[in-house]
Amino acid sequence: MNTKKIVVVGNGMVGHYYVEKMAALAQAFDITVIGGEPRPAYDRVHLSEVFNGKDPEDLALTTREHYKEIGVKAHFGDTVVTIDREKKTVITELGRHFPYDKLILATGSYPFVPPVPGSDAKACLTYRTIDDLGAIRAQARLGKVGVVVGGGLLGLECANALKNLGLETHVVEFAPGLMGVQLDEGGSGMLRAMIEELDVQVHTSKATQKIVPGKDHTLRMEFADGGALETDLIVFSAGIRPNDQLAKQAGLEIGERGGIVIDYHCRTSDSDIFAIGECALFGGKIFGLVAPGYRMADAALSQLTDTPQSFQGADMSTKLKLLGIDVGSIGDSHGKTLIDDKVPASFLYSNDRERVYKKIVVSPDGKKLLGAVLVGDCSDYDNLLQLYLNDMDLPENPEHIILPADDGNNAAFSGMELPLTATICSCLNVTKGDIVAAIDGGCTTVADVKSCTQASTGCGGCAALLKSTVDTELAARGVEINNHLCEHFAYSRQDLFHMIKVGRLEHFDDVLAKHGTGRGCEVCKPTVGSILASLWNDYILKPEHLPLQDTNDNFLANMQKDGTYSIVPRIPGGEITAEKLIVIGEVAKKYALYTKITGGQRIDLFGARVNQLPDIWSELVSAGFETGHAYGKALRTVKSCVGNSWCRYGVQDSVSMAIFIENRYKGIRSPHKIKSAVSGCTRECAEAQSKDFGVIATENGWNLYVCGNGGMKPRHADLFATDLDDATLIKYIDRFLMFYIRTADRLQRTSVWMNNLEGGLDYLREVVIDDKLGLAEELEAQMALLLDKYQCEWKTTIEDPERLKRFRQFVNSEKDDTHIVFVQERGQSRPAKEQEREALTTA
Amino acid sequence: MTSAAVSYSPFDPIAVFDRADLVENAGVCVLINDVQVAVFYMPKETPCVFALHNWDPLGKANVLYRGIVGDVNGERFVSSPLYKQHYSLDTGRCLEDETVSVPVYEAFVEDDTVTITLQSRRQK
Ligand SMILES: Cc1cc2nc3c(=O)[nH]c(=O)nc-3n(C[C@H](O)[C@H](O)[C@H](O)COP(=O)(O)OP(=O)(O)OC[C@H]3O[C@@H](n4cnc5c(N)ncnc54)[C@H](O)[C@@H]3O)c2cc1C
Ligand code: SF4
Ligand code: SF4
Ligand code: FES
């Protein structure tokens, strides 16, 4: 049998999902993708984040190389213009012909621009693609005022973008309220008030009649009511229209108001052609969200397998943050569903002081939830959505579920048990049943379940629900989530940190006597040692602390495979004078050390015997070097690019900032190593986004990124705050680091730590920026104490003859360890391999 | 403090050195006829010194004296600074791999003097 030729038109989010799923099937297909945009699929849902500083590249869902690897033929920047159904071939604008056995239309939709005279002006834009972003940004540079036409979900998101671009922002809406589709009048009113507080001006019931050149600004909008508004750019966000022209031309059935008509199997009126995503019309409806599109893709794909599934429509409930305001809408938010001719009952809680609006729509008998509106507080969204989706019975007095609870925990939901069929993650279509199965299959943490089921790897909106589901299931199985440090301490690192701090304990023996049992081990000793250092910053080789240190900390150098050590002097920011370079060279030459440049812009000297360390360091210290702490779980390096001192593109002095940061935090002991970098502009030559905290210069200051890392599981850092001045930047880093040092588990890098914080990045922002826990001052004070007590451990060591005794190879002999043998390679030493050693020692 | 005097043959090679050369709750290394011996000093234990060959048989380097000491389930150990395997201070047995062990030697402290002999310690 020939492999079936599959042609997918459109490489948006849904088209890409389809391709990726198809390539993963056991059965082989010959897949061709034609994408109208010049780049492979990207995450449109998070488009607005580009205005917060995210690199458009980071939105990519795939790459050309990846498609190649999975055997998909992809053509970007070409559009399909004709479907020849007779010959079963599509023809593109560039004249290419692609024959198909099955054709998938995933052409998505385009923004509707009302046919107002003048709406074709150059400063009239739309908001749907990465290219649109570029156009908006370019236009925004030329002016001061921006208008969004359309007060729906996308319009408000766009308003946020304009605001972030520094424009005076207006929203012009034709209807009387904002987000009319999702919100009722009251919710819409509350949202409007909150948005206006953010200096976004809202104009409702405004019909734009024409757009003409303006006097003070580029354009002038004239409204039907006689009013007018001048602006420098207009973004139309007045709804979407399906891209159905191609299908229409091919004679496929199209809905009255557009959309390619599909059946339960996502088939169009031609059984060899499927349509999925925002171009498809199912049950008279276009589904303008990504999750329903994915479900269509699943259904369409399954028709080519032995287990066909159907698409049954999808829930359009949404939860989002608009201009920082939580908004949620579930089911029938307007209360229009009639049941046995009876109107539903509504319950309403509205609080103008705290700016919270909650409404639930309940069946006439009060048993079932039909819909809900939430503005200002979405904390009940997950629970309400589950009640709604799973048709669960409401408690006797349904109003309780929206009334504020004293302790902040809504008791009305406690004990709510979801059925196994409940969808926990709608992006990836993971049910509670899937999660239970994963746990039965051996997963014991949220992270395990995540990687096993893929839950919460899409928009991330389900993270809290996923965690509580996993926790409940584990607890039900009697699995105690054990984060005890080791057999000697029945506490987590975080608990211990707290107890040592509160009890002002300064020695391991005291900690063990008070809170532990036994003698300690190689797990708890270094952990406690690190906590003591983080809290009191004592010299780590004091006799009472020395036994706690891992060998690297113990000898203030990094042990290599043959028992020799490597040495890394600190070179802050990677900047070094010629004189110091020469010193390093001479020391290396004198002691025959192997030298190598590290990834952190320093120089590593290998092959020092333990008894050579003090001499080598005496020379380095007297030349002005300090220890680089390469041996410690501590701040390692702060890389930098040359920034605006040299670089044509630089906008800030990244080297000075990197040196400042490195000198500030050097020596601070932490749960794991910490790396940082500073780039002088968004070109990001210092790779700051792969660091625990990274700083990137902007025209107005610095953007701070947190919780990235390289290594085994690389992770891009998240944008934490933008356009900070020097003082605020340092303040945030102080708090961020100290909070990490306090609360992370042993050997937990910042990325994993943040993933495990309930509330993730947003929570971290609340703690560090908004000081939600009221901890900021204490964190800063703690940091100040550590900074105050900094010392170069090598300097202290070489000044104390007692300490130097520690570096003898043998206490009773001056001899060397004869097992250490070097050979020469490329003009430098390296440890001899086994055969080489035999040859050398027997010769 | 004096540990129970253990007699050794006058022909056994020995090392004698000051108690002050020991490091509390950590190890040092002595050389006896080209044999490297790691000597651990745990003042609160009985006995309070332990002597093991310094060779880490899995890491293949002379490094054991630089490991951290402690206990698992009451068994006193030194953990290899290279790959973290535990070696019993009392028997030299590797707790992760029973086919591996390191030699243990007699060690005792008298007043301010520590004596290590190359005689294998008698199993208790
Ligand atoms: C700013 C913004 C925010 C959003 N926020 C959310 C949200 O929070 N939650 C949510 O669920 N949804 C959100 N959405 C909607 C979501 O992005 C869409 O539902 C989703 O992208 C639809 O995917 P699709 O593949 O059907 O269409 P698209 O992603 O639009 O992809 C269609 C692709 O097909 C290409 N194409 C069209 N015609 C042709 C042709 N003839 N030949 C070749 N290629 C062609 C187009 O160029 C396009 O690249 C948002 C959308 C925007 C714009
Ligand atoms: S990040 Fe910017 S400033 Fe720094 S070297 Fe690269 S281009 Fe220049
Ligand atoms: S990547 Fe592996 S081999 Fe290279 S230095 Fe790191 S741990 Fe060693
Ligand atoms: S709902 Fe979007 S990732 Fe789970």
Side-chain angles (χ1 to χ4, degrees):
Chain A
M1 204 183 76
N2 263 342
T3 41
K4 276 207 183 99
K5 286 194 174 58
I6 308 293
V7 173
V8 182
V9 184
N11 192 233
M13 298 185 75
V14 175
H16 165 67
Y17 178 91
Y18 181 93
V19 169
E20 187 85 17
K21 283 267 157 145
M22 172 166 260
L25 289 179
Q27 192 181 345
F29 292 98
D30 175 357
I31 312 172
T32 303
V33 179
I34 302 131
E37 291 185 62
R39 53 180 67 78
Y42 54 89
D43 183 354
R44 211 179 293 290
V45 169
H46 292 106
L47 199 58
S48 305
E49 290 183 9
V50 172
F51 290 116
N52 299 334
K54 195 169 184 133
D55 189 334
E57 305 253 309
D58 293 340
L59 292 176
L61 295 173
T62 182
T63 59
R64 291 161 202 267
E65 294 70 39
H66 175 68
Y67 272 171
K68 224 170 255 161
E69 269 164 33
I70 60 175
V72 171
K73 290 170 222 151
H75 306 272
F76 300 109
D78 193 6
T79 48
V80 172
V81 289
T82 313
I83 306 173
D84 185 339
R85 288 166 60 192
E86 289 284 296
K87 294 200 188 118
K88 294 185 93 176
T89 298
V90 298
I91 303 158
T92 70
E93 198 169 17
L94 298 178
R96 290 189 272 202
H97 287 54
F98 297 102
Y100 66 82
D101 292 311
K102 302 283 173 197
L103 179 65
I104 318 301
L105 301 176
T107 50
S109 60
Y110 64 94
F112 171 64
V113 178
V116 174
S119 62
D120 52 355
K122 190 174 157 267
C124 289
L125 306 164
T126 55
Y127 186 36
R128 176 133 194 119
T129 64
I130 287 185
D131 289 346
D132 290 343
L133 292 180
I136 293 176
R137 190 172 261 164
Q139 194 66 35
R141 264 198 216 119
L142 305 174
K144 294 208 159 53
V145 183
V147 169
V148 179
V149 174
L153 197 151
L154 295 184
L156 294 181
E157 219 179 284
C158 184
N160 193 26
L162 295 189
K163 212 175 147 254
N164 282 342
L165 288 173
L167 297 181
E168 172 191 322
T169 306
H170 299 259
V171 174
V172 172
E173 166 62 49
F174 175 76
L178 296 173
M179 286 187 72
V181 181
Q182 293 88 359
L183 302 184
D184 66 337
E185 218 182 301
S188 170
M190 178 76 76
L191 179 63
R192 176 183 184 143
M194 294 171 79
I195 287 179
E196 284 174 341
E197 275 168 17
L198 298 171
D199 280 339
V200 172
Q201 301 180 40
V202 180
H203 314 264
T204 50
S205 303
K206 288 272 181 214
T208 310
Q209 261 186 338
K210 60 177 170 189
I211 298 166
V212 295
K215 259 195 260 136
D216 302 331
H217 295 278
T218 318
L219 299 173
R220 176 183 168 86
M221 304 172 72
E222 297 188 348
F223 302 118
D225 62 5
L229 180 62
E230 293 226 341
T231 177
D232 296 306
L233 76 98
I234 302 176
V235 183
F236 285 98
S237 184
I240 53 166
R241 294 288 182 272
N243 275 322
D244 55 10
Q245 310 84 332
L246 182 64
K248 199 170 187 173
Q249 213 183 61
L252 298 178
E253 188 184 342
I254 302 293
E256 230 170 80
R257 291 164 56 213
I260 310 169
V261 175
I262 55 168
D263 65 7
Y264 285 114
H265 298 144
C266 297
R267 278 202 168 87
T268 65
S269 53
D270 178 331
S271 66
D272 286 327
I273 306 182
F274 296 82
I276 55 179
E278 278 188 356
C279 62
L281 186 74
F282 176 81
K285 254 170 97 173
I286 295 282
F287 292 84
L289 292 176
V290 68
Y294 287 169
R295 296 296 80 73
M296 290 184 201
D298 286 333
L301 182 60
S302 71
Q303 306 311 319
L304 309 180
T305 68
D306 301 333
T307 48
Q309 306 158 13
S310 56
F311 176 72
Q312 307 275 5
D315 178 58
M316 295 294 283
S317 302
T318 29
K319 167 174 80 168
L320 51 154
K321 239 192 174 68
L322 291 169
L323 295 132
I325 304 166
D326 286 312
V327 179
S329 160
I330 294 175
D332 175 16
S333 49
H334 295 276
K336 288 200 189 120
T337 323
L338 296 188
I339 295 179
D340 303 330
D341 281 338
K342 284 200 236 122
V343 284
S346 293
F347 297 87
L348 182 71
Y349 171 79
S350 177
N351 180 334
D352 275 335
R353 179 142 35 105
E354 304 208 335
R355 295 279 191 225
V356 174
Y357 180 93
K358 299 181 184 183
K359 184 178 89 168
I360 48 173
V361 177
V362 172
S363 61
D365 62 7
K367 288 236 167 78
K368 306 284 178 189
L369 185 69
L370 302 178
V373 177
L374 301 170
V375 177
D377 175 7
C378 269
S379 52
D380 294 335
Y381 178 89
D382 288 341
N383 287 320
L384 289 171
L385 182 65
Q386 294 300 334
L387 282 173
Y388 166 72
L389 288 179
N390 300 299
D391 208 21
M392 293 159 71
D393 280 338
L394 287 169
E396 203 160 323
N397 300 311
E399 64 272 25
H400 285 324
I401 61 180
I402 51 169
L403 289 178
D406 291 339
D407 58 358
N409 265 326
N410 198 331
F413 291 117
S414 68
M416 180 173 116
E417 168 115 32
L418 297 176
L420 287 177
T421 51
T423 301
I424 302 296
C425 171
S426 47
C427 288
L428 281 302
N429 203 18
V430 181
T431 63
K432 179 173 158 190
D434 298 332
I435 290 167
V436 169
I439 292 175
D440 288 339
C443 293
T444 53
T445 62
V446 172
D448 287 353
V449 172
K450 233 167 141 173
S451 67
C452 171
T453 62
Q454 300 294 300
S456 201
T457 56
C459 71
C462 57
L465 184 60
L466 175 69
K467 180 170 188 312
S468 68
T469 309
V470 172
D471 286 352
T472 320
E473 287 303 315
L474 287 175
R477 282 165 180 69
V479 178
E480 207 183 306
I481 307 154
N482 182 335
N483 51 6
H484 295 176
L485 207 51
C486 63
E487 66 172 68
H488 306 103
F489 290 97
Y491 301 100
S492 67
R493 178 188 176 278
Q494 181 178 357
D495 292 338
L496 261 184
F497 189 99
H498 185 74
M499 296 185 305
I500 294 175
K501 177 167 184 289
V502 173
R504 301 204 64 80
L505 304 177
E506 291 178 21
H507 303 295
F508 178 80
D509 286 348
D510 298 340
V511 181
L512 190 69
K514 254 193 131 141
H515 303 292
T517 60
R519 301 170 173 96
C521 65
E522 82 288 359
V523 172
C524 59
K525 283 184 171 180
T527 305
V528 171
S530 153
I531 294 175
L532 292 173
S534 293
L535 277 170
W536 324 123
N537 213 4
D538 237 356
Y539 174 56
I540 63 167
L541 296 188
K542 274 196 179 168
E544 62 269 31
H545 299 322
L546 177 144
L548 309 180
Q549 316 302 340
D550 264 323
T551 185
N552 287 355
D553 271 318
N554 213 314
F555 292 88
L556 305 174
N558 292 46
M559 185 187 274
Q560 302 299 330
K561 61 192 287 186
D562 58 349
T564 62
Y565 287 88
S566 78
I567 293 166
V568 187
R570 189 168 292 290
I571 301 179
E575 185 188 78
I576 185 165
T577 60
E579 284 73 25
K580 281 191 159 177
L581 262 181
I582 290 169
V583 171
I584 291 189
E586 304 227 296
V587 167
K589 203 155 115 188
K590 175 163 168 194
Y591 295 91
L593 303 174
Y594 169 86
T595 58
K596 186 163 191 315
I597 311 289
T598 73
Q601 304 185 334
R602 327 203 261 188
I603 301 172
D604 206 342
L605 309 169
F606 288 78
R609 296 165 181 271
V610 70
N611 45 346
Q612 292 176 316
L613 290 172
D615 291 342
I616 293 174
W617 269 108
S618 309
E619 296 192 22
L620 290 172
V621 167
S622 56
F625 282 104
E626 289 187 325
T627 181
H629 291 101
Y631 44 81
K633 305 289 180 228
L635 178 84
R636 295 279 172 87
T637 70
V638 182
K639 279 173 64 167
S640 70
C641 73
V642 289
N644 69 359
S645 331
W646 289 92
C647 176
R648 283 177 290 151
Y649 303 107
V651 292
Q652 307 277 356
D653 184 356
S654 44
V655 179
S656 298
M657 182 53 86
I659 293 175
F660 179 81
I661 293 179
E662 182 156 344
N663 280 327
R664 182 173 181 82
Y665 301 115
K666 63 190 174 192
I668 291 177
R669 292 304 201 279
S670 51
H672 208 310
K673 61 186 170 195
I674 303 175
K675 296 186 177 181
S676 179
V678 183
S679 280
C681 80
T682 51
R683 285 182 162 74
E684 242 286 69
C685 299
E687 299 169 330
Q689 288 169 92
S690 64
K691 304 298 179 202
D692 294 282
F693 66 97
V695 178
I696 301 180
T698 69
E699 304 271 349
N700 311 316
W702 307 97
N703 283 354
L704 174 61
Y705 290 77
V706 296
C707 302
N709 57 249
M712 203 144 49
K713 268 198 183 169
R715 179 183 191 278
H716 248 53
D718 289 305
L719 181 64
F720 188 70
T722 53
D723 291 338
L724 305 173
D725 57 37
D726 293 5
T728 316
L729 174 72
I730 297 302
K731 186 167 77 179
Y732 288 173
I733 300 175
D734 275 6
R735 295 178 183 175
F736 166 78
L737 286 179
M738 216 54 231
F739 190 55
Y740 164 65
I741 291 172
R742 271 194 181 205
T743 58
D745 256 334
R746 183 180 90 91
L747 299 187
Q748 195 175 42
R749 287 294 292 267
T750 51
S751 55
V752 182
W753 166 68
M754 184 183 75
N755 278 340
N756 283 333
L757 284 180
E758 220 167 306
L761 183 67
D762 286 335
Y763 174 72
L764 199 55
R765 282 204 189 99
E766 286 169 5
V767 174
V768 170
I769 301 178
D770 310 332
D771 193 16
K772 179 177 135 162
L773 302 183
L775 263 183
E777 214 173 300
E778 201 181 320
L779 296 175
E780 285 172 33
Q782 182 73 43
M783 183 60 83
L785 177 94
L786 296 187
L787 301 179
D788 193 43
K789 296 194 76 181
Y790 169 80
Q791 55 185 304
C792 169
E793 289 150 359
W794 264 112
K795 187 157 184 289
T796 313
T797 304
I798 54 178
E799 283 167 357
D800 180 349
E802 262 314 295
R803 296 275 75 75
L804 288 179
K805 281 190 176 170
R806 180 79 186 121
F807 295 86
R808 291 176 294 180
Q809 169 69 41
F810 303 111
V811 296
N812 63 342
S813 161
E814 297 292 316
K815 287 190 182 162
D816 281 330
D817 175 359
T818 48
H819 187 73
I820 296 172
V821 178
F822 296 113
V823 295
Q824 296 292 304
E825 186 168 87
R826 291 182 295 276
Q828 298 205 72
S829 313
R830 68 151 169 83
K833 294 176 183 149
E834 212 50 57
Q835 308 91 307
E836 292 167 338
R837 183 199 322 279
E838 271 162 31
L840 280 171
T841 42
T842 51
Chain B
M1 202 221 318
T2 308
S3 39
V6 178
S7 60
Y8 54 90
S9 141
F11 305 108
D12 280 333
I14 60 165
V16 180
F17 56 96
D18 287 350
R19 184 202 275 257
D21 284 323
L22 293 172
V23 181
E24 283 192 15
N25 294 306
V28 296
C29 196
V30 298
L31 195 62
I32 310 175
N33 285 7
D34 285 343
V35 177
Q36 298 191 18
V37 180
V39 183
F40 301 95
Y41 177 40
M42 297 167 81
K44 287 192 196 150
E45 304 289 325
T46 329
C48 62
V49 284
F50 302 85
L52 276 70
H53 202 296
N54 190 36
W55 178 250
D56 176 346
L58 297 169
K60 305 215 179 308
N62 286 311
V63 293
L64 281 189
Y65 84 90
R66 299 178 210 157
I68 288 181
V69 293
D71 73 334
V72 260
N73 296 323
E75 172 118 45
R76 296 176 282 214
F77 67 72
V78 57
S79 129
S80 156
L82 281 169
Y83 303 111
K84 311 291 175 215
Q85 293 91 357
H86 301 94
Y87 296 93
S88 165
L89 290 178
D90 292 286
T91 65
R93 203 166 55 86
C94 172
L95 305 186
E96 279 74 25
D97 182 346
E98 56 183 47
T99 64
V100 175
S101 68
V102 293
V104 290
Y105 304 110
E106 290 291 357
F108 32 97
V109 186
E110 253 166 324
D111 301 325
D112 282 331
T113 310
V114 186
T115 308
I116 313 286
T117 84
L118 277 193
Q119 175 184 311
S120 286
R121 206 185 305 159
R122 284 163 299 187
Q123 303 292 320
K124 284 139 213 161

